[in-house]
Amino acid sequence: MAKYLYKLGSWASRKRRQVLFGWIVILIVAAIGVGSAGITFKNDMSIPGTKAEKAMDVMNKEFSHGEDSGGQIKLIFKAPEGKTLESPSTHKKIQDILDLVPEDKAVESIASPYQTGTISKNKEIGYATITYKVSADDVTDASKNKIKDIAKLAKKSGIQTEIGGTVAFSHVKIGGASELVGIIIAFGILVFTFASFLTAGIPIITAIIGLGIGAMGILISSNFFSVQATSLSLATMIGLAVGIDYALFIISRHRQQLAQGLDVRESIALATGTAGSAVVFAGLTVIVALCGLSVVGIPFLTSMGLSAAFSVLVVMLVSITLVPALLGMFGHRLIPKRKKHLTSNKSLINKKTNESNRWGRFVTRYPVLIVLVCLIVTAIISSPVLHMELGLPDNGMKSKETIERRAYDLMAEGFGAGINGPLVVVLDGSKSADPQSAFAKVEKELSELPNVSSITPPSPNQSGEFAMVTVLPKTGPNDSKTKDLVTNIREQGEKINKDEKVKLMVTGSTAVNIDISDKLSEALPQFAALIVIFALLLLMVVFRSILVPIKAVLGFLMTLIATLGFSVFVLQDGHFIDFFGIPEAGPLLNFMPVLTTGILFGLAMDYEVFLVSRMREDYTHLKDAKKSILSSLKHSGPVVTAAGLIMVSVFASFIFAEDATMKATGLSMAFGVLFDAFIVRMTLVPAVMTLLGKSAWYLPKWLDRSLPNIDVEGESIKNIAEDNIK
């Protein structure tokens, strides 16, 4: 692989203008494609085949007012202080407001609180339901603005009015402050690392071009596949971080070689062949890990994984082609001002590695102590994972400034927390001799279950063989007691089915949430096992070692549990949520453990490859395990440090995003990379490698002969470089 990348780097530096022009043309064509095709995001987070989804399918089939009916908006009213909704003046004002709604021809029907009785017990809060002729996703901005204007009029008349329902008024913003903040911080780190504004600008430019093409491709694909807005945000987050890092590694190697006196074009080719090989391997590892999310069998996770993988693929290709081209354009202007004098150019190939830095000497002097400290720190940070709860974010976890949160709180104030997460129970009495009598018994038994606030009478379908009841819990959608109620209904349903021949099926947001969490919990061990086996085999091929891959995988598992523990500590337990700008504490995103496993695996292997491949490269020449560790920490350590800080800054910038999913993901990924880069790779790995010594590089000869040689260290181009230097 190194030989081909060496030739690619040489070609790109010679054809630099054509390469730059080619990528710009691709970016422009992609932008035109987005303008022509448009954007069609889907917000479906369901998992086909779960109990709640099956119940939803039955409901849609047997009842005309299932999921496929028109979108609904709830206008929620609170009477002025000292009055009720039934006060004549308040009643008249609300009725006058609702009379304005039919002016929008997209409205199918209006259910006034006075008609349906949707008024709280104290008569102070109630809501009207507006049903549209189209689905919730197809309700136009004009219709939404009409409702906003009506709500403003109601507020002016002294009636607090909020907007809820199935029609979304807030959307995930594509691009914005988060990406800009990450880029600015990354640029600052690059300027400090390279001591050059010119050099620091190259990774930013290439990452933006690669990210732009990747994002455009995802937007175009949204017209043909089910793609969520969060998939684009996740792809942007990962693509920007790795795009800057990959360019950083190649440029750092190039500048080191220029400082040693190597010719510009030869240095570009050699940097692309060596550091570029590590970039390609690391990139493919991230891509495989992200694509591996598809094996979980959950559509929205597959979309997220494939979108992010495509973004990484594009920035990786940009790194090994456009970066060499730009290096060729700037030529000698990238040579570090503080050049290191070497006695001869041959020292590039056979350099002495007795140089070390303070960190390297410290780690190799106290390896046992450092390993123990790392294990203790990991155990402390990971401990909260023992009480981890999974769920999906609801409107109650949004900022209090959002439309959805204000509606959520007002509904809970008037009707109890359970109003925001009602459970729909579908009753299948097709095998019962007397369905109506059986339905009545079911209603009575369900009403006696713990944590039930109220239950509606059975509503039969046209055939009379099916019925629906709505169970209102006393607690909110993400409360553990509500989840226990779903479990109790399903367990009670098994008994009822035996006695009354009525099958109970529970659906609704809470039931869907539980089923998704259970499905993901089942998938996590399988996915983690797949990742671990893949890592062991892949790293064995790369490093020609048995112990190094085992050490790398154990380090990854430490990072994973520490990241989940930190996430529980902040997001679920609520520590430092004000500092991080998180509106409310709540359960972890139910897909976060699987998503974190896939992303962190790829990124952790990035740093493992960049750091340990340098150790192996030096060990191959010197046959001195300790010197190879010191050399790697001296030469690759600062680059890995800068790369880690850049990735942390990019991920952390997404904490400022409005979307709760991106906030949580950004926080978790930022901590995960911080922990992996500095606790595991820069501290634990060299300490363990010191303890292992030469045995770290042991591989049975028969196995060495059987494994393919992908040459990440660039051994195949050393002779070419030697000849060119002479």
Side-chain angles (χ1 to χ4, degrees):
M1 181 169 66
K3 187 183 297 184
Y4 297 110
L5 289 173
Y6 176 90
K7 294 178 180 179
L8 178 63
S10 178
W11 172 83
S13 65
R14 285 186 285 107
K15 304 290 185 180
R16 45 190 177 271
R17 289 183 177 83
Q18 292 92 323
V19 172
L20 176 59
F21 179 75
W23 280 114
I24 292 176
V25 168
I26 293 173
L27 179 61
I28 294 172
V29 170
I32 294 173
V34 172
S36 302
I39 305 170
T40 310
F41 283 130
K42 308 289 191 304
N43 294 316
D44 183 21
M45 301 285 280
S46 62
I47 301 180
T50 59
K51 293 178 181 178
E53 284 296 319
K54 290 178 179 177
M56 187 71 73
D57 292 340
V58 173
M59 186 175 70
N60 290 333
K61 179 182 177 182
E62 300 295 337
F63 299 87
S64 61
H65 48 290
E67 190 183 61
D68 294 330
S69 60
Q72 291 185 337
I73 290 178
K74 285 184 170 65
L75 277 178
I76 310 156
F77 304 104
K78 183 176 182 180
E81 188 174 351
K83 295 184 179 181
T84 68
L85 294 185
E86 295 182 349
S87 300
S89 59
T90 306
H91 189 156
K92 184 178 185 306
K93 289 177 182 178
I94 290 177
Q95 192 58 55
D96 290 343
I97 290 296
L98 293 179
D99 287 342
L100 299 174
V101 174
E103 293 178 3
D104 183 359
K105 301 304 180 183
V107 173
E108 176 74 27
S109 63
I110 304 170
S112 165
Y114 304 105
Q115 296 171 330
T116 56
T118 51
I119 299 176
S120 62
K121 291 181 180 178
N122 61 10
K123 310 298 183 182
E124 292 181 358
I125 298 173
Y127 62 89
T129 302
I130 303 167
T131 304
Y132 288 82
K133 297 175 182 177
V134 295
S135 65
D137 291 337
D138 294 327
V139 174
T140 64
D141 289 337
S143 293
K144 295 178 186 179
N145 291 333
K146 176 71 175 176
I147 294 298
K148 288 182 180 179
D149 292 339
I150 290 173
K152 288 178 183 177
L153 287 174
K155 289 178 182 178
K156 286 182 180 179
S157 67
I159 300 173
Q160 181 184 347
T161 307
E162 306 298 346
I163 305 171
T166 60
V167 177
F169 280 78
S170 299
H171 301 281
V172 177
K173 292 185 178 179
I174 302 171
S178 299
E179 292 87 339
L180 183 60
V181 169
I183 290 172
I184 292 172
I185 297 175
F187 182 72
I189 296 171
L190 289 168
V191 170
F192 179 81
T193 302
F194 292 130
S196 166
F197 285 98
L198 177 62
T199 310
I202 296 176
I204 301 297
I205 292 171
T206 55
I208 290 175
I209 291 175
L211 182 62
I213 295 171
M216 298 296 177
I218 294 169
L219 292 175
I220 293 172
S221 71
S222 69
N223 293 280
F224 307 99
F225 306 101
S226 178
V227 179
Q228 295 79 24
T230 50
S231 296
L232 177 62
S233 298
L234 181 67
T236 300
M237 182 193 299
I238 298 174
L240 181 61
V242 301
I244 296 174
D245 276 6
Y246 291 169
L248 167 65
F249 284 114
I250 295 175
I251 294 170
S252 298
R253 188 64 175 253
H254 173 58
R255 279 166 57 88
Q256 287 176 17
Q257 294 164 173
L258 289 179
Q260 293 167 332
L262 199 63
D263 174 72
V264 171
R265 186 168 294 174
E266 182 61 31
S267 176
I268 294 172
L270 193 59
T272 308
T274 52
S277 294
V279 164
V280 170
F281 173 78
L284 292 176
T285 304
V286 175
I287 290 169
V288 170
L290 291 169
C291 290
L293 290 171
S294 60
V295 305
V296 177
I298 298 173
F300 68 84
L301 269 183
T302 299
S303 172
M304 288 182 179
L306 294 180
S307 298
F310 176 73
S311 180
V312 172
L313 175 63
V314 174
V315 297
M316 182 189 74
L317 293 175
V318 168
S319 297
I320 59 175
T321 54
L322 184 56
V323 169
L326 293 180
L327 295 179
M329 284 184 177
F330 295 117
H332 292 88
R333 283 178 287 178
L334 300 181
I335 297 177
K337 294 180 180 179
R338 297 183 295 274
K339 290 206 302 185
K340 295 180 181 179
H341 178 71
L342 298 176
T343 56
S344 70
N345 286 334
K346 289 184 181 181
S347 59
L348 173 66
I349 307 303
N350 298 309
K351 54 185 177 293
K352 294 180 179 181
T353 57
N354 58 355
E355 296 180 353
S356 61
N357 55 20
R358 291 182 180 179
W359 182 248
R361 291 192 295 271
F362 173 75
V363 172
T364 54
R365 186 177 300 171
Y366 307 105
V368 175
L369 177 62
I370 286 173
V371 170
L372 289 175
V373 170
C374 288
L375 292 176
I376 292 171
V377 169
T378 303
I380 293 172
I381 296 175
S382 304
S383 58
V385 81
L386 297 174
H387 61 271
M388 179 173 67
E389 294 181 10
L390 301 178
L392 280 174
D394 56 29
N395 292 334
M397 295 175 65
K398 291 187 176 182
S399 169
K400 292 182 179 180
E401 281 71 44
T402 61
I403 293 174
E404 289 84 358
R405 175 61 187 275
R406 293 197 300 268
Y408 183 98
D409 290 345
L410 190 57
M411 288 288 283
E413 180 185 343
F415 302 93
I419 191 66
N420 291 302
L423 304 175
V424 179
V425 183
V426 181
L427 310 178
D428 179 0
S430 56
K431 296 182 180 179
S432 173
D434 185 1
Q436 302 308 313
S437 176
F439 293 157
K441 292 179 181 178
V442 171
E443 177 196 353
K444 184 176 183 302
E445 291 193 36
L446 292 181
S447 64
E448 294 173 352
L449 291 175
N451 199 39
V452 173
S453 174
S454 64
I455 181 170
T456 62
S459 175
N461 68 344
Q462 289 183 349
S463 68
E465 294 183 345
F466 290 82
M468 282 198 314
V469 296
T470 300
V471 178
L472 204 63
K474 295 178 181 177
T475 49
N478 274 314
D479 194 292
S480 59
K481 293 180 180 178
T482 306
K483 297 176 183 178
D484 291 340
L485 176 58
V486 174
T487 303
N488 290 338
I489 292 174
R490 286 175 172 168
E491 290 176 351
Q492 187 74 4
E494 295 179 4
K495 177 179 178 296
I496 291 173
N497 195 22
K498 290 180 181 178
D499 297 341
E500 306 294 338
K501 303 300 180 183
V502 175
K503 183 178 179 181
L504 271 64
M505 295 168 283
V506 189
T507 188
S509 60
T510 303
V512 170
N513 181 0
I514 292 173
D515 289 348
I516 292 177
S517 299
D518 290 344
K519 178 76 173 179
L520 289 166
S521 298
E522 293 173 5
L524 180 59
Q526 301 171 12
F527 180 59
L530 179 67
I531 287 291
V532 167
I533 294 171
F534 172 73
L536 288 172
L537 295 176
L538 201 60
L539 294 176
M540 191 180 296
V541 171
V542 173
F543 296 126
R544 325 299 293 182
S545 165
I546 293 177
L547 295 178
V548 169
I550 294 174
K551 175 264 308 169
V553 167
L554 292 176
F556 159 67
L557 293 176
M558 287 174 60
T559 297
L560 178 61
I561 60 173
T563 301
L564 293 177
F566 174 79
S567 300
V568 171
F569 182 75
V570 176
L571 299 171
Q572 180 179 311
D573 296 344
H575 301 287
F576 305 114
I577 58 173
D578 292 335
F579 177 78
F580 290 115
I582 297 168
E584 293 289 339
L588 256 62
L589 288 167
N590 50 23
F591 56 83
M592 181 175 284
V594 174
L595 192 65
T596 301
T597 300
I599 296 174
L600 281 185
F601 168 74
L603 301 181
M605 293 306 103
D606 273 10
Y607 298 125
E608 180 75 14
V609 170
F610 289 129
L611 191 66
V612 180
S613 62
R614 185 62 181 255
M615 292 183 192
R616 175 167 174 76
E617 183 180 345
D618 291 330
Y619 179 78
T620 302
H621 292 99
L622 300 170
K623 301 301 180 184
D624 188 316
K626 185 174 181 179
K627 286 184 177 180
S628 69
I629 296 169
L630 292 171
S631 175
S632 178
L633 290 175
K634 169 82 173 177
H635 298 290
S636 294
V639 183
V640 171
T641 299
L645 290 174
I646 289 170
M647 196 168 285
V648 168
S649 67
V650 171
F651 285 150
S653 67
F654 280 81
I655 298 173
F656 301 104
E658 293 182 7
D659 182 62
T661 300
M662 297 317 301
K663 271 183 176 291
T665 306
L667 179 65
S668 299
M669 291 299 103
F671 177 83
V673 171
L674 183 70
F675 187 91
D676 190 82
F678 297 102
I679 301 298
V680 175
R681 307 303 157 188
M682 288 294 293
T683 306
L684 181 66
V685 165
V688 172
M689 293 295 285
T690 301
L691 293 175
L692 293 176
K694 291 185 177 181
S695 63
W697 304 110
Y698 170 74
L699 185 70
K701 292 182 178 179
W702 64 269
L703 184 57
D704 188 31
R705 289 192 299 268
S706 303
L707 295 175
N709 187 1
I710 61 175
D711 189 21
V712 171
E713 296 87 10
E715 286 297 316
S716 62
I717 60 175
K718 295 299 182 183
N719 293 332
I720 300 175
E722 288 269 14
D723 294 339
N724 290 337
I725 290 173
K726 292 176 182 178

